[in-house]
Amino acid sequence: MTRLKTPTAISGDAYHDIINKYHPELGFYESTYKDLHQNPELSEQEERTSNIAAEHLRKIGYSIRDCIGGYGVVGILKNGAGPTVLLRADMDGLPVLEKTGLSYASKKEMKDQFGHTVPVMHAELLYAARSEWKGTLICLFQPAEEVGAGAQAMVDDGLYTRFDIPKPDIVLGQHVFCLYKAGFVALTAGPVLAAVDGVSVRVFGKGGHGSMPQDCVDPIVVASHVVVRLQTIVARELQPGKLGVITCGKFEAGTAANIIPDYADLELTIRSYDIKVQKQLLDAVERIVRAECDASGSPQAPRFTYNAHAPATVNDDDSTKTLAASFSTYFMENAGPFEPIPGSEDFSVLARAINVPSVFWALGGCDPAKWDEANRKGTLKEIPINHSAEFAPAIEPTLQTGTDALALAALTFLDS
């Protein structure tokens, strides 16, 4: 792996002075966030969101590359000789009907992912503060994170080869989580997010009249056995202490109560930290599905489609240690460890593609008063989390903290 030279140490007070001196007004960014929240766009449909990001970066003074791997946008700011730092954000929303009751709730039957505006805001701060650092800053807005395809699509489209984008020395990113209170940043070396594999499974039966199942092979029964049996992989096959998750989030079959259909469809998500565990889980899924189909007399073999993949997010040890020191001196008691979770991101694809280190941290988003009350009552697990219809990050101090964290991370690895 290509390594950055050890950054020059800067005091916490110096970071505070730089960030406070060049910090932009929040009003514009707050209104932009509310606009994006009300008008989210699904994966691979982020045209409006990407245009907003590109136009603002261009207005600030960045050189723009757009339509990379779909609606991917990159802003480049060259500021003399020095390291190249890439800061990444994702743009796509989710097909969830929002139930937050917010005045700026989504008007569409989907919900935005929070995080669109923070990178543009810190990009303005770092542009204004360019007398304080040397190097090259890359602000990357990625499409299709929710389907685990956007980062690889940008790489495959020539992100580092045909758009005259400098190869970064390090890739940095953050994501809001209501597991932590707003104003808090969480960072840990090593695995922090799991690998994800999406698997679509079709099991086949022999259709017929619902009153005569003896003349049919019922794929709903076959698929039901599959779903139950899959739960034994983690419970009975995986070594204790190893993370593994297999969830069937969609089960679809049939058209009427009195018709036994010809097939049933399952949609699975599989999570793991370890490559060997990942292979074990995938192999076990295929083995069990095939065996259940054989046991039920299915007329043809099941069909598997692998439609989403992202590697585990593993923070580089040395770079994480360096950034954690900056976060600790700047945010003080509002910085702490990032407890690994089985959620997934394709963020690390951007670093793995060119063999450079990456660091990803959590940005707290839960209203501090609500978080403190839930923590006191022992009900933190009841706080609506990412992908919930009631997920509602507090705009402040999340916006301020996210801006500071991204700017601080860039300044940590650029030449001072």
Side-chain angles (χ1 to χ4, degrees):
M1 178 181 291
T2 304
R3 287 282 173 194
L4 269 171
K5 70 179 181 65
T6 303
T8 304
I10 301 179
S11 70
D13 288 341
Y15 282 134
H16 274 286
D17 291 345
I18 294 171
I19 290 174
N20 290 336
K21 180 178 179 180
Y22 298 103
H23 212 291
E25 292 296 322
L26 292 174
F28 168 78
Y29 294 97
E30 182 173 325
S31 63
T32 302
Y33 167 67
K34 290 180 178 179
D35 172 38
L36 291 171
H37 188 106
Q38 286 182 314
N39 299 282
E41 295 173 302
L42 290 174
S43 304
E44 301 173 344
Q45 301 175 32
E46 310 93 338
E47 182 177 9
R48 179 175 181 270
T49 304
S50 65
N51 285 338
I52 290 172
E55 286 306 310
H56 194 68
L57 285 171
R58 186 177 287 112
K59 180 180 177 182
I60 294 170
Y62 284 71
S63 175
I64 302 302
R65 313 287 188 272
D66 57 9
C67 297
I68 306 173
Y71 290 109
V73 172
V74 170
I76 305 167
L77 179 59
K78 295 183 178 181
N79 192 37
T84 297
V85 174
L86 187 152
L87 298 161
R88 175 267 200 183
D90 62 280
M91 300 185 290
D92 49 328
L94 294 160
V96 177
L97 181 61
E98 185 171 355
K99 298 178 182 178
T100 61
L102 295 170
S103 61
Y104 53 90
S106 171
K107 298 176 181 178
K108 300 181 180 179
E109 292 193 355
M110 60 188 78
K111 187 177 185 299
D112 147 273
Q113 176 82 11
F114 190 89
H116 298 313
T117 63
V118 171
V120 184
M121 183 173 176
H122 97 274
E124 181 173 349
L125 188 161
L126 289 167
Y127 181 87
R130 58 195 184 278
S131 63
E132 310 286 349
W133 59 269
K134 295 295 181 184
T136 297
L137 180 65
I138 300 172
C139 295
L140 184 148
F141 288 76
Q142 180 202 306
E145 180 273 331
E146 289 298 338
V147 294
Q152 192 63 55
M154 293 187 73
V155 171
D156 291 345
D157 197 26
L159 173 66
Y160 299 123
T161 58
R162 73 181 189 91
F163 288 95
D164 193 29
I165 297 171
K167 175 183 172 182
D169 296 298
I170 190 167
V171 177
L172 306 170
Q174 68 180 14
H175 201 298
V176 70
F177 291 95
C178 280
L179 299 167
Y180 304 97
K181 70 169 73 176
F184 189 86
V185 292
L187 175 62
T188 294
V192 290
L193 296 172
V196 60
D197 291 279
V199 186
S200 299
V201 180
R202 173 165 289 186
V203 299
F204 295 93
K206 178 185 176 185
H209 201 286
S211 66
M212 294 180 283
Q214 73 278 7
D215 297 326
C216 308
V217 176
D218 192 338
I220 295 177
V221 174
V222 178
S224 297
H225 281 293
V226 167
V227 172
V228 173
R229 181 77 178 185
L230 289 178
Q231 307 314 305
T232 67
I233 298 173
V234 174
R236 288 294 178 267
E237 298 186 31
L238 192 61
Q239 179 181 333
K242 297 285 189 180
L243 176 88
V245 177
I246 300 175
T247 294
C248 178
K250 184 177 179 181
F251 188 138
E252 190 169 87
T255 57
N258 62 347
I259 299 174
I260 292 176
D262 289 323
Y263 60 85
D265 291 326
L266 305 175
E267 296 284 344
L268 311 178
T269 186
I270 301 171
R271 309 294 173 113
S272 58
Y273 289 139
D274 183 271
I275 293 177
K276 291 182 179 179
V277 170
Q278 182 183 31
K279 184 178 187 304
Q280 180 184 358
L281 298 181
L282 290 169
D283 288 349
V285 166
E286 285 213 16
R287 186 192 76 236
I288 285 174
V289 173
R290 293 185 190 280
E292 290 292 350
C293 288
D294 287 344
S296 301
S298 295
Q300 67 183 90
R303 181 188 304 164
F304 299 89
T305 304
Y306 294 87
N307 46 35
H309 170 74
T313 301
V314 181
N315 283 339
D316 177 71
D317 288 345
D318 292 341
S319 302
T320 301
K321 182 178 179 180
T322 298
L323 184 56
S326 292
F327 279 177
S328 179
T329 57
Y330 187 90
F331 294 109
M332 302 180 71
E333 70 275 6
N334 286 315
F338 185 176
E339 296 296 330
I341 60 174
S344 301
E345 262 274 1
D346 61 349
F347 158 82
S348 61
V349 169
L350 299 170
R352 289 173 181 242
I354 50 174
N355 198 32
V356 299
S358 62
V359 183
F360 190 84
W361 62 92
L363 173 66
C366 182
D367 179 89
K370 292 181 179 179
W371 194 94
D372 287 340
E373 181 180 7
N375 188 45
R376 179 175 56 82
K377 294 180 177 179
T379 58
L380 286 174
K381 290 187 176 181
E382 296 179 12
I383 294 173
I385 60 173
N386 304 59
H387 296 203
S388 164
E390 297 178 348
F391 177 60
I395 294 181
E396 285 301 342
T398 310
L399 192 61
Q400 173 90 37
T401 306
T403 302
D404 291 358
L406 283 164
L408 177 58
L411 289 169
T412 297
F413 293 104
L414 292 163
D415 281 345
S416 59

